[in-house]
mmCIF file of all heavy atoms in Angstrom:
data_model
loop_
_atom_site.group_PDB
_atom_site.id
_atom_site.type_symbol
_atom_site.label_atom_id
_atom_site.label_comp_id
_atom_site.label_asym_id
_atom_site.label_seq_id
_atom_site.Cartn_x
_atom_site.Cartn_y
_atom_site.Cartn_z
ATOM 1 N N ALA A 57 -7.030 -12.105 9.673
ATOM 2 C CA ALA A 57 -7.765 -12.172 10.937
ATOM 3 C C ALA A 57 -9.244 -11.835 10.794
ATOM 4 O O ALA A 57 -10.006 -12.031 11.752
ATOM 5 C CB ALA A 57 -7.127 -11.216 11.951
ATOM 6 N N LEU A 97 9.803 19.259 9.459
ATOM 7 C CA LEU A 97 9.954 19.262 10.915
ATOM 8 C C LEU A 97 11.061 18.343 11.392
ATOM 9 O O LEU A 97 11.468 18.432 12.567
ATOM 10 C CB LEU A 97 8.634 18.857 11.582
ATOM 11 C CG LEU A 97 7.416 19.726 11.250
ATOM 12 C CD1 LEU A 97 6.198 19.222 12.008
ATOM 13 C CD2 LEU A 97 7.683 21.187 11.547
ATOM 14 N N PRO A 176 3.029 -13.804 7.686
ATOM 15 C CA PRO A 176 1.975 -14.835 7.692
ATOM 16 C C PRO A 176 2.163 -15.897 8.761
ATOM 17 O O PRO A 176 1.183 -16.355 9.367
ATOM 18 C CB PRO A 176 2.077 -15.442 6.285
ATOM 19 C CG PRO A 176 2.679 -14.365 5.452
ATOM 20 C CD PRO A 176 3.640 -13.653 6.357
ATOM 21 N N PHE A 222 1.532 23.883 5.366
ATOM 22 C CA PHE A 222 1.041 22.538 5.108
ATOM 23 C C PHE A 222 -0.359 22.617 4.511
ATOM 24 O O PHE A 222 -1.169 23.465 4.889
ATOM 25 C CB PHE A 222 1.020 21.706 6.386
ATOM 26 C CG PHE A 222 2.370 21.486 6.985
ATOM 27 C CD1 PHE A 222 2.712 22.077 8.190
ATOM 28 C CD2 PHE A 222 3.293 20.693 6.344
ATOM 29 C CE1 PHE A 222 3.956 21.874 8.745
ATOM 30 C CE2 PHE A 222 4.544 20.476 6.897
ATOM 31 C CZ PHE A 222 4.885 21.073 8.096
ATOM 32 N N PHE A 233 -13.643 13.050 0.734
ATOM 33 C CA PHE A 233 -13.996 12.424 -0.543
ATOM 34 C C PHE A 233 -13.955 10.899 -0.430
ATOM 35 O O PHE A 233 -14.915 10.204 -0.788
ATOM 36 C CB PHE A 233 -13.043 12.910 -1.628
ATOM 37 C CG PHE A 233 -13.067 12.077 -2.884
ATOM 38 C CD1 PHE A 233 -14.161 12.094 -3.732
ATOM 39 C CD2 PHE A 233 -11.988 11.279 -3.218
ATOM 40 C CE1 PHE A 233 -14.191 11.327 -4.884
ATOM 41 C CE2 PHE A 233 -11.998 10.508 -4.366
ATOM 42 C CZ PHE A 233 -13.109 10.528 -5.201
ATOM 43 N N TYR A 239 -18.332 5.043 2.217
ATOM 44 C CA TYR A 239 -19.561 4.815 2.978
ATOM 45 C C TYR A 239 -20.727 4.485 2.042
ATOM 46 O O TYR A 239 -21.523 3.574 2.325
ATOM 47 C CB TYR A 239 -19.893 6.047 3.815
ATOM 48 C CG TYR A 239 -21.071 5.856 4.742
ATOM 49 C CD1 TYR A 239 -20.884 5.336 6.018
ATOM 50 C CD2 TYR A 239 -22.364 6.173 4.346
ATOM 51 C CE1 TYR A 239 -21.959 5.148 6.872
ATOM 52 C CE2 TYR A 239 -23.445 5.984 5.185
ATOM 53 C CZ TYR A 239 -23.240 5.470 6.446
ATOM 54 O OH TYR A 239 -24.302 5.264 7.285
ATOM 55 N N LEU A 253 -27.555 8.596 -0.957
ATOM 56 C CA LEU A 253 -27.237 9.770 -1.755
ATOM 57 C C LEU A 253 -26.513 10.848 -0.954
ATOM 58 O O LEU A 253 -25.668 11.563 -1.498
ATOM 59 C CB LEU A 253 -28.518 10.344 -2.357
ATOM 60 C CG LEU A 253 -29.190 9.474 -3.422
ATOM 61 C CD1 LEU A 253 -30.483 10.125 -3.901
ATOM 62 C CD2 LEU A 253 -28.251 9.225 -4.594
ATOM 63 N N ILE A 349 15.199 -3.184 -21.532
ATOM 64 C CA ILE A 349 14.345 -3.340 -22.715
ATOM 65 C C ILE A 349 13.208 -2.333 -22.751
ATOM 66 O O ILE A 349 12.459 -2.280 -23.722
ATOM 67 C CB ILE A 349 13.768 -4.766 -22.797
ATOM 68 C CG1 ILE A 349 12.748 -5.014 -21.674
ATOM 69 C CG2 ILE A 349 14.878 -5.814 -22.758
ATOM 70 C CD1 ILE A 349 11.999 -6.326 -21.807
ATOM 71 N N LEU A 469 -7.234 -4.952 -18.265
ATOM 72 C CA LEU A 469 -7.364 -3.537 -18.598
ATOM 73 C C LEU A 469 -6.039 -2.807 -18.396
ATOM 74 O O LEU A 469 -5.637 -1.975 -19.228
ATOM 75 C CB LEU A 469 -8.458 -2.905 -17.733
ATOM 76 C CG LEU A 469 -8.662 -1.387 -17.890
ATOM 77 C CD1 LEU A 469 -8.985 -1.022 -19.335
ATOM 78 C CD2 LEU A 469 -9.752 -0.898 -16.942
ATOM 79 N N ALA A 470 -5.342 -3.101 -17.298
ATOM 80 C CA ALA A 470 -4.036 -2.483 -17.063
ATOM 81 C C ALA A 470 -3.041 -2.863 -18.151
ATOM 82 O O ALA A 470 -2.261 -2.022 -18.619
ATOM 83 C CB ALA A 470 -3.504 -2.905 -15.688
ATOM 84 N N PRO A 481 11.007 1.494 -26.164
ATOM 85 C CA PRO A 481 12.325 2.105 -25.992
ATOM 86 C C PRO A 481 12.715 2.897 -27.242
ATOM 87 O O PRO A 481 12.579 2.424 -28.367
ATOM 88 C CB PRO A 481 13.256 0.905 -25.788
ATOM 89 C CG PRO A 481 12.369 -0.185 -25.291
ATOM 90 C CD PRO A 481 11.043 0.035 -25.951
#
Side-chain angles (χ1 to χ4, degrees):
L97 302 181
F222 297 111
F233 165 70
Y239 186 88
L253 292 178
I349 69 172
L469 176 58

